[in-house]
Amino acid sequence: MTAEPASAQTSTWENGLRERNLIPLWTVMRGMLPPEPTPPAVAHHWRYAEFKSELERAAVEITAEQAERRVLLFENPSYPGESRITATLHAGIQYLLPGETAAQHRHAQSALRFILEGEGAFTEVGGERFSMSAGDLILTPAFQWHGHGNPGNGAVAWLDGLDLPMVRLMGTTFAEFKPPSDGIPKQAEGISRARFGSGMLPTEVTTPSAASPRVHYPYVEARAALASLAAGEPADGVHGYRLAYAHPQTGGPIMPTMAAYLQLLPKGFGGGTYRSTEAFVFCVAEGRGKTTVIGIDGTEKVFEWTKHDHFVIPGWLRFRHKAQNESVLFSFSDRPLQQSMGLWRDARD
Ligand code: 1HN
């Protein structure tokens, strides 16, 4: 909302100001300060049954080598041409056939990967190989060399989540596509897990790294934790049984810009309505259910989801989950960025 000019004279004067790149704040200030968030992104649902065949088609159209990263990205309908799923997050599904590799590169953006299906592929991060199994979370902290390979027998698909729009906003994008001529220093397989993944920590490391040095969070462990919670305590009224993947040195989020969660919704679970300033990208790891999202204008969208469907909920839109079968949802968000700025809030209403 902008104020009407007080007189034609003011308007002429204002126009003169504009020509000199000077803007009277009072004409634009109310638009800058809405009483509560009005996210331009919309909630949206991508069904695996619909995009799986497009991934297969992509594998016919282009080799992983040509594509460098064979990804179909989820673009929010509100941001055409901007390759983003929310104001701050990028998400897509990467697909690698047996025998294919995706060359090493590195960039300022941080990435996380949640494996959908396929066994036997690996990703290399900072010179260490991590084998991928369905449901695993694997991190690629900013500026680490990383590439992927699939020496297995079947295709592999995984969700890529990146903080690309944040890095673009700050104008801090750097990338390198040619590894050093003497190669990327190799690390023994399992070393980061041995150092940071057992509930113990190296005694000589004092400064926590910005992103979790654990890198790999296997599904078997996270899933077993959720099962034990569900057997041992009542569910949260909104989230069911939800755990955040944690940075082993700080207990905080796994990355400075992105948090990730795994949650179990028991069969028949009906959650209360919730909203938070963080935008969520959800991936259905198991089960079947529905999520109702209530728009700013009060209109409801119902996403009936099943395994490997994805959906996005922009910040400050109300939503609630219902599970038809026992379900597991993976999600990631921009919460750490918001918390570092003192901006994060949520409400159960
Ligand atoms: C990237 O480096 C990967 O390394 C995946 O697998 C998706 C999307 C945009 C920019 C870089 C990867 C990406 C990406």
Side-chain angles (χ1 to χ4, degrees):
M1 188 177 40
T2 52
E4 288 299 315
S7 68
Q9 203 179 0
T10 318
S11 173
T12 310
W13 170 66
E14 277 178 10
N15 288 339
L17 285 177
R18 283 174 213 278
E19 278 165 22
R20 285 181 288 136
N21 303 303
L22 290 165
I23 308 298
L25 174 64
W26 59 92
T27 64
V28 291
M29 196 171 78
R30 277 306 178 92
M32 288 171 173
L33 302 175
E36 59 179 305
T38 51
V42 295
H44 195 78
H45 179 195
W46 289 265
R47 291 173 202 281
Y48 199 51
E50 286 165 19
F51 67 79
K52 173 77 201 281
S53 56
E54 304 299 348
L55 291 169
E56 286 162 357
R57 171 76 189 265
V60 176
E61 295 288 332
I62 191 161
T63 66
E65 198 184 4
Q66 287 167 331
E68 189 159 341
R69 297 293 186 264
R70 188 198 286 117
V71 174
L72 291 181
L73 64 92
F74 296 130
E75 190 171 76
N76 194 288
S78 299
Y79 294 115
E82 294 189 28
S83 303
R84 52 175 148 170
I85 189 162
T86 71
T88 56
L89 300 172
H90 169 106
I93 305 295
Q94 190 159 166
Y95 195 63
L96 213 52
L97 295 178
E100 288 189 322
T101 55
Q104 301 248 1
H105 68 199
R106 63 176 183 166
H107 39 69
Q109 292 85 352
S110 299
L112 53 81
R113 303 178 211 291
F114 183 74
I115 315 308
L116 300 184
E117 57 183 328
E119 294 286 328
F122 65 85
T123 187
E124 196 177 305
V125 181
E128 183 179 348
R129 271 192 184 199
F130 300 90
S131 68
M132 297 173 164
S133 291
D136 290 4
L137 175 70
I138 301 178
L139 310 180
T140 303
F143 249 102
Q144 296 271 6
W145 287 104
H146 60 282
H148 321 295
N150 182 4
N153 302 317
V156 203
W158 67 83
L159 166 67
D160 288 314
L162 290 94
D163 57 9
L164 266 150
M166 306 183 204
V167 178
R168 185 164 59 199
L169 175 68
M170 292 184 288
T172 50
T173 299
F174 292 87
E176 286 179 47
F177 299 91
K178 210 170 157 353
S181 51
D182 52 350
I184 297 159
K186 296 288 173 212
Q187 304 288 327
E189 203 166 325
I191 201 78
S192 65
R193 181 115 177 254
R195 288 192 190 121
F196 298 105
S198 69
M200 302 173 84
L201 293 173
T203 57
E204 311 311 311
V205 178
T206 52
T207 313
S209 50
S212 165
R214 177 171 173 177
V215 181
H216 188 191
Y217 294 76
Y219 194 58
V220 283
E221 291 177 22
R223 183 68 179 82
L226 292 180
S228 298
L229 284 181
E233 63 178 34
D236 175 82
V238 165
H239 304 296
Y241 298 92
R242 188 174 74 156
L243 293 172
Y245 294 89
H247 186 310
Q249 292 167 303
T250 66
I254 43 167
M255 301 197 129
T257 48
M258 294 185 286
Y261 311 91
L262 196 70
Q263 73 195 94
L264 184 148
L265 307 177
K267 181 178 165 69
F269 177 81
T273 305
Y274 177 76
R275 56 178 166 164
S276 78
T277 51
E278 70 194 296
F280 292 103
V281 177
F282 280 99
C283 165
V284 182
E286 294 179 32
R288 179 181 289 278
K290 65 179 184 184
T291 297
T292 304
V293 189
I294 303 149
I296 300 172
D297 60 1
T299 55
E300 293 195 350
K301 278 186 189 173
V302 180
F303 300 148
E304 293 195 21
W305 40 257
T306 184
K307 191 170 173 165
H308 296 159
D309 281 9
H310 289 70
F311 55 97
V312 60
I313 303 181
W316 215 236
L317 290 191
R318 292 183 171 88
F319 67 94
R320 57 179 178 268
H321 299 306
K322 211 165 170 28
Q324 188 178 325
N325 304 338
E326 180 178 77
S327 301
V328 178
L329 302 178
F330 169 82
S331 59
F332 72 99
S333 85
D334 54 0
R335 178 168 170 169
L337 176 73
Q338 296 188 7
Q339 284 190 313
S340 72
M341 298 171 78
L343 299 177
W344 181 84
R345 32 170 136 167
D346 72 343
R348 289 168 183 243
D349 55 7

